[in-house]
Amino acid sequence: MSGHDLKPADSSRFYALVGLGLLVLLAGLGAFHTMEEHGHIISGMNNQIVWGLPHVFAIFMIVAASGVLNVASIGSVFGKTIYKTRAPLSGLLCLALLGGGLMVLLLDLGRPDRIIVAATHYNFRSVFAWNVFLYSGMFAIVALYLWMLMERRMNRYVKPVGFVAFIWRLVLTTGTGSIFGFLVAREAYGSAMLAPMFIIMSFAWGLAVFNIVQSAMFAWNGMTLHPAILRRMKNLLGVFVAATAYFVATHHLTNLYFARQADFEYFILVDGGVYPLIFWLGYGVVGTVLPLLLIFHPALGTARAMTAASVSVLLGAFALLYVFIIGGQAWPLDIFPGYAASSRFGDGLIAAYTPSLPELLLGLGGMAAAFLITTVGVRILHFLPEDDLPQFDGGGSEPNLPAASHGA
Amino acid sequence: MRLAVSALILAASLAVWAAPVAAEVARPVIAVAPDQGSCLAPPEEMRRRHMDMLKHQRDRTLRDGERGARISLNGCIACHAGKESGSVAASRQDFCESCHAYVAVKLDCFECHQPKSGGLATGEKP
Amino acid sequence: MSAGHKPPLPARRALLAGGAAAALSVALAPGIRLIEIASGNEAPTLASSKVRWGMLIDATRCSADCDACVTACNQENHLPTAAAPTDPQWLRKVSLKDLKTGRSLSVPVMCQHCAKPACVDVCPTGASFKRADGIVLVDRHICIGCRYCMMACPYKARSFVHAPVTDQNPQVPRGKGCVEGCTLCVHRLDRGQLPACVEACPNQAMLFGDLNDPDSAISQRLRAIATTQARADLGLDTGVRYHGI
C-alpha cells in the first residue's frame, strides 16, 4: 500500500479513471476485432501506405517507454539523488508504455492469430526479429530492476541492474530507429542518423510522459514539486527538446544537400499539403518552439508551465511521427530514376491516406492499456516520488544538487 | 493449501470432462471418399497424423519446389470434397470442417487454400 | 489454351531428372491429379541452385497500350483487376517518360527476384524467402502480415491482402492478412511451363530462362544487347533485366 492515506473520494475518482481507461481499451479491442474480421480493407492503409496511424501510436509508445526509463537511469547509473526517488515510477511507466505500444503493433498485424510464429521462427538478419528479443528482454530487465528498487533487501543490486537496463534501452531504441534506418530504397528513411535520433527523441518524449504523470500524482496527493527539482527537470526536458530539434534539422539538411533527395524534401517540407503543415505547425511550433518558450522564458517556468510544455512535446511527437512514417511512405518510389512514371498501381503519384476510426481506436486502446497499467500500479504499490525536502531547504548540502546547475 | 488447490483443479477438469457435450454437438460426418481407391494411410493414422503430414510436406513443396508428392492438400480435397458443396470446408457437413468443428480446432488451411475440388488445373485459363 | 505446345522451356524436371518418365509427367501435368502422379514413385525433383531463373524485358518491343501480361497474370493467379489502392497487383504496366528528352516507353514491373532481396533480409519470421533457383516467394504459412517487406522493397512489388479471398486458383493459395507478390508462376514453372505473362506477351517482349546457363536464350541475348537492372545502384542483383530503358 502506498504511504499516503486514501480518502473515500479518492476511491471513487480512482474507479472512475479505471472505468474510463477500460472503456477506451475495450473500444480499441473492438476495433481490432472488426479489423481482424474484415481485413485491413476497413483501415485507411493500402498497398502504398502500408504502415498507418496504429504504427504512429505504437512507435511513439515504444520510443517513449525507452526514454521514460532515463529518469531511473539518471538516479541509478549516474547517482543523482532526486532521480533515485523517481526510479520506481519511471520503471512502471516504461513497462506500461512498452506493453501498450506492443499491443498496438501486434494487433495491427495481418495475422495476429499467428503471433506465436514470431517467437518460433526467427530470421536473424531482420532488425524486426532483433526487436522481438529486445522488447521481451526489456520487460524482463525492467521488472527485475523494479524488484531491486522496491525490495529493500535487494537495493544493493540496483546499480548493476540499472546499468544493464540503461544499456539495454539504448540498444532497444537503436533497434527501433534502425527499423527505418535500414530501409535503403525510400528517401525518407535509410539513414544511420535515425538510430541516435530515435534515442534523443526517446529522452524528450519519455521525460515529458514522466512529468505529466508526476504532476498528476502530485496534484492528486496535494503535493507540490520543490522548485529546485522543478528547475532541474524542466531544464533537462528543454535540453532534450532542443537536441531532438537538432537531429531532425540535421537529417533534413543532409537530405537537402543530396540532389536526388531534394524533390522529396521539397514535398515533405514545402509542397506536400498536410505533411509540411503538420511538420511545421505540429512539430515545429507546438512540439519545439512552444515547449522551449514555456520552459526557458523567465516569466514562466512554473510547475504548470512544465506540464504544459510536456503536453506540447507529446503533441509534437505525434506530429513528427505522422510526417515521418506516413509522409515518408506517401512519396512514390523512384524505380526508374530519370523518368516520370505512371501506372494503375500508383507509380509516380503521391499516395493518399485517410486514417480510419478503427485505426484511431486501436491506437487509443494501446494508450488506454498503458494508462490502466500505470493507474492501477500507482494505486497498489508505492510509486509516488517523495523527496526529502528538508535537505533542499536546509543548508543546501545535497551534493548532487548545486544551486546553479543546468541539465544533468 | 496446496491440496485444496489441486482438488479444485481436479474438480474443475472433471466438470469440463463430464459436461454432456455428446448430447448437444453433432458427431462429425466422416464420409468415405467415393470410389477413389485407398487413402494414403489407414483412417486411424490419418486422423492422428494428417496435420503433421501436411505440415511436413508444405515446406518441401513451397521451399524446395517438390511437386507431385504423395502427400498433397489438393489430393485430399480431390477425394474428400462434399458431393453437394464440392468443398471440404463449406459447411458442417463437409469432411474437414465437420471434424474440426467437433473437436473445436481452428481450420486455418482454407484462409488461403481453395477448399473446392475440381478447380482449374495448373496452366489452364478460366 | 494449354501451354504444353509452347517451345520447350529448359524444364527443371527434364533438366535435372533427365528421365523419360519425368518428361512424360511434364506433358501430362495439366489436368492430372497429384495422387496419380504420386503412384509413379519417381524420386522428387527439387529446385536447384544450379539454375537461376530470370527474365529479360525488352522495352523497345513492349507496346504502351497492351496489357496482355497483366491480364494473364490476374487470370492465372485469380487476382482482381486492380482498381483500388488496396487491391493486390503482382504485375503492372508502368508508363515512363524521360524527364529530359520526353521519350516515352512502357514496361511491365513485378517482383525483380533479387539475388540479395531486401524483403528477405527484413522479414522477422523468414516467411519471405528465396528458393534455391532464385525465385523470391512468401511462405504464407508463417507470414504474420507485418508488411515490413513492403516497406523494404524498392520496386513496390509486394501487395497486402486486405480482404478475405475465396476464389483462389487451387495451385495459387492466397488469403487475407498475408503479403504476396509475383511468384514467376512457380506452380507452372515446376511443371515445365512458362510464366503466364511471358506466354501471353504478343510482342515477344518478355524472354524467360536460366541466367546460369550460358547457352540459354536469355543468357545469349543478355550477352548480345545492352541491358540494365531497375535501381541497379542498390546492388540487389535482380533476376529481371530491362533492355531499352
Side-chain angles (χ1 to χ4, degrees):
Chain A
M1 263 299 157
S2 10
H4 49 282
D5 295 325
L6 298 169
K7 295 179 286 291
D10 264 358
S11 264
S12 53
R13 266 200 297 173
F14 168 75
Y15 287 115
L17 281 181
V18 169
L20 183 74
L22 277 175
L23 213 66
V24 180
L25 177 64
L26 275 178
L29 293 177
F32 152 68
H33 182 71
T34 321
M35 215 145 86
E36 161 81 343
E37 286 283 297
H38 294 84
H40 279 61
I41 192 92
I42 60 161
S43 76
M45 292 176 268
N46 53 51
N47 284 323
Q48 173 80 40
I49 309 280
V50 303
W51 287 351
L53 200 57
H55 300 81
V56 172
F57 277 92
I59 290 169
F60 166 75
M61 279 186 271
I62 290 168
V63 169
S66 150
V68 79
L69 198 65
N70 205 34
V71 174
S73 296
I74 299 173
S76 302
V77 179
F78 302 106
K80 308 280 178 190
T81 312
I82 66 156
Y83 290 98
K84 277 184 183 169
T85 57
R86 285 164 174 76
L89 179 60
S90 147
L92 174 72
L93 285 172
C94 171
L95 290 181
L97 285 167
L98 197 58
L102 287 182
M103 181 190 119
V104 176
L105 206 58
L106 298 183
L107 295 187
D108 174 75
L109 292 176
R111 298 294 309 250
D113 51 323
R114 272 188 197 159
I115 188 57
I116 193 71
V117 170
T120 56
H121 292 70
Y122 280 111
N123 168 24
F124 287 99
R125 288 180 67 89
S126 167
V127 62
F128 245 31
W130 305 347
N131 282 346
V132 173
F133 274 111
L134 291 170
Y135 296 154
S136 43
M138 187 78 179
F139 272 113
I141 290 170
V142 175
L144 188 71
Y145 188 24
L146 273 179
W147 183 32
M148 303 295 124
L149 284 166
M150 301 184 83
E151 167 64 62
R152 207 173 290 274
R153 284 171 303 169
M154 293 296 177
N155 280 174
R156 60 200 151 126
Y157 302 114
V158 159
K159 197 155 182 152
V161 176
F163 187 72
V164 172
F166 171 68
I167 298 295
W168 195 273
R169 91 189 143 77
L170 292 184
V171 177
L172 180 136
T173 314
T174 302
T176 312
S178 299
I179 288 175
F180 297 96
F182 290 179
L183 294 176
V184 67
R186 291 178 190 263
E187 281 84 348
Y189 314 121
S191 162
M193 278 286 291
L194 296 181
M197 182 168 127
F198 268 60
I199 289 178
I200 201 70
M201 289 185 328
S202 85
F203 289 178
W205 304 350
L207 189 56
V209 169
F210 187 90
N211 283 340
I212 292 168
V213 174
Q214 177 180 255
S215 71
M217 287 172 73
F218 272 46
W220 185 284
N221 291 292
M223 296 159 62
T224 44
L225 197 57
H226 191 278
I229 300 171
L230 170 68
R231 192 175 63 240
R232 301 223 32 185
M233 294 194 78
K234 84 178 172 66
N235 286 348
L236 190 60
L237 181 64
V239 169
F240 288 159
V241 169
T244 303
Y246 164 78
F247 268 81
V248 172
T250 311
H251 185 219
H252 283 293
L253 274 175
T254 314
N255 276 352
L256 277 168
Y257 202 81
F258 297 169
R260 66 187 156 83
Q261 304 271 51
D263 287 348
F264 167 70
E265 284 300 322
Y266 188 71
F267 165 74
I268 211 84
L269 297 179
V270 182
D271 194 30
V274 68
Y275 301 111
L277 193 73
I278 297 178
F279 180 81
W280 291 112
L281 221 64
Y283 174 66
V285 175
V286 177
T288 307
V289 176
L290 186 63
L292 288 178
L293 216 75
L294 284 165
I295 290 166
F296 291 120
H297 193 282
L300 296 162
T302 58
R304 186 168 294 179
M306 181 170 78
T307 310
S310 300
V311 171
S312 67
V313 165
L314 296 191
L315 292 175
F318 274 92
L320 182 62
L321 281 178
Y322 191 91
V323 172
F324 178 73
I325 296 175
I326 292 162
Q329 294 173 79
W331 184 249
L333 286 163
D334 195 8
I335 302 170
F336 299 101
Y339 290 91
S342 62
S343 79
R344 285 208 309 237
F345 200 51
D347 287 277
L349 290 178
I350 308 294
Y353 173 76
T354 315
S356 67
L357 186 63
E359 289 171 272
L360 179 65
L361 290 179
L362 178 59
L364 291 175
M367 301 282 272
F371 172 78
L372 279 171
I373 295 171
T374 310
T375 310
V376 174
V378 162
R379 177 79 174 186
I380 59 176
L381 288 170
H382 187 148
F383 285 107
L384 183 75
E386 280 170 307
D387 296 300
D388 188 7
L389 294 176
Q391 69 176 345
F392 305 136
D393 296 331
S397 59
E398 215 278 326
N400 289 317
L401 203 75
S405 84
H406 287 279
Chain B
M1 180 60 196
R2 191 179 295 168
L3 195 70
V5 171
S6 316
L8 198 68
I9 291 170
L10 187 69
S13 36
L14 276 176
V16 169
W17 181 71
V21 269
E24 290 159 28
V25 179
R27 300 281 300 180
V29 188
I30 305 177
V32 176
D35 24 280
Q36 300 283 351
S38 59
C39 198
L40 295 179
E44 296 73 30
E45 197 187 337
M46 290 309 295
R47 276 172 209 166
R48 283 178 196 283
R49 288 195 48 236
H50 68 277
M51 67 298 280
D52 302 323
M53 295 161 90
L54 285 169
K55 192 176 178 190
H56 181 70
Q57 183 60 45
R58 78 177 196 200
D59 293 336
R60 306 259 311 144
T61 301
L62 176 62
R63 296 194 169 248
D64 304 337
E66 181 185 316
R67 300 282 173 172
R70 208 171 67 91
I71 299 160
S72 138
L73 184 63
N74 280 343
C76 302
I77 297 166
C79 287
H80 289 290
K83 275 200 184 106
E84 276 150 42
S85 62
S87 164
V88 289
S91 78
R92 282 292 299 273
Q93 305 306 310
D94 291 333
F95 188 77
C96 299
E97 182 59 30
S98 106
C99 226
H100 273 260
Y102 181 72
V103 295
V105 173
K106 189 187 170 196
L107 184 52
D108 199 27
C109 302
F110 304 109
E111 293 272 310
C112 291
H113 284 276
Q114 177 59 262
K116 284 187 177 169
S117 72
L120 293 161
T122 303
E124 282 183 338
K125 305 249 167 82
Chain C
M1 168 173 148
S2 163
H5 311 296
K6 273 270 162 181
L9 165 84
R12 200 186 51 169
R13 243 167 220 288
L15 196 78
L16 297 174
L24 188 67
S25 82
V26 171
L28 285 176
I32 203 165
R33 269 215 318 282
L34 296 175
I35 203 158
E36 284 168 302
I37 294 179
S39 60
N41 236 359
E42 61 190 277
T45 54
L46 305 179
S48 160
S49 56
K50 287 178 189 144
V51 179
R52 174 154 189 228
W53 296 121
M55 200 186 284
L56 172 58
I57 292 167
D58 189 342
T60 61
R61 289 181 172 206
C62 183
S63 143
D65 49 6
C66 169
D67 63 355
C69 52
V70 179
T71 310
C73 176
N74 290 348
Q75 281 186 352
E76 175 64 32
N77 298 300
H78 292 201
L79 302 173
T81 307
T86 43
D87 284 340
Q89 184 134 29
W90 293 9
L91 173 65
R92 62 191 192 271
K93 280 294 293 287
V94 177
S95 303
L96 298 172
K97 191 170 183 185
D98 192 309
L99 287 167
K100 292 286 170 233
T101 65
R103 173 177 168 252
S104 293
L105 59 148
S106 167
V107 284
V109 175
M110 75 294 266
C111 172
Q112 305 286 301
H113 298 280
C114 310
K116 298 168 193 160
C119 56
V120 172
D121 284 348
V122 301
C123 178
T125 66
S128 212
F129 73 101
K130 190 177 65 162
R131 237 169 62 143
D133 53 6
I135 305 176
V136 176
L137 296 171
V138 179
D139 183 348
R140 293 172 204 266
H141 304 115
I142 58 170
C143 172
I144 56 174
C146 73
R147 286 105 78 201
Y148 196 18
C149 56
M150 300 175 74
M151 290 291 277
C153 176
Y155 307 105
K156 208 180 164 188
R158 289 247 167 118
S159 300
F160 181 66
V161 186
H162 284 80
V165 182
T166 52
D167 61 340
Q168 303 94 335
N169 176 346
Q171 304 295 331
V172 187
R174 46 186 304 270
K176 181 190 71 158
C178 289
V179 172
E180 59 184 14
C182 160
T183 64
L184 277 182
C185 282
V186 67
H187 58 292
R188 295 168 55 98
L189 206 56
D190 284 349
R191 291 181 164 79
Q193 296 169 307
L194 287 166
C197 55
V198 176
E199 191 181 282
C201 179
N203 305 319
Q204 279 78 48
M206 300 171 95
L207 179 61
F208 182 84
D210 179 5
L211 299 175
N212 280 355
D213 174 7
D215 300 325
S216 67
I218 188 171
S219 293
Q220 291 178 15
R221 188 96 181 119
L222 285 169
R223 266 199 303 278
I225 59 173
T227 60
T228 180
Q229 305 179 24
R231 288 304 303 268
D233 58 318
L234 299 176
L236 303 175
D237 186 5
T238 59
V240 176
R241 314 290 168 95
Y242 290 91
H243 167 67
I245 290 183

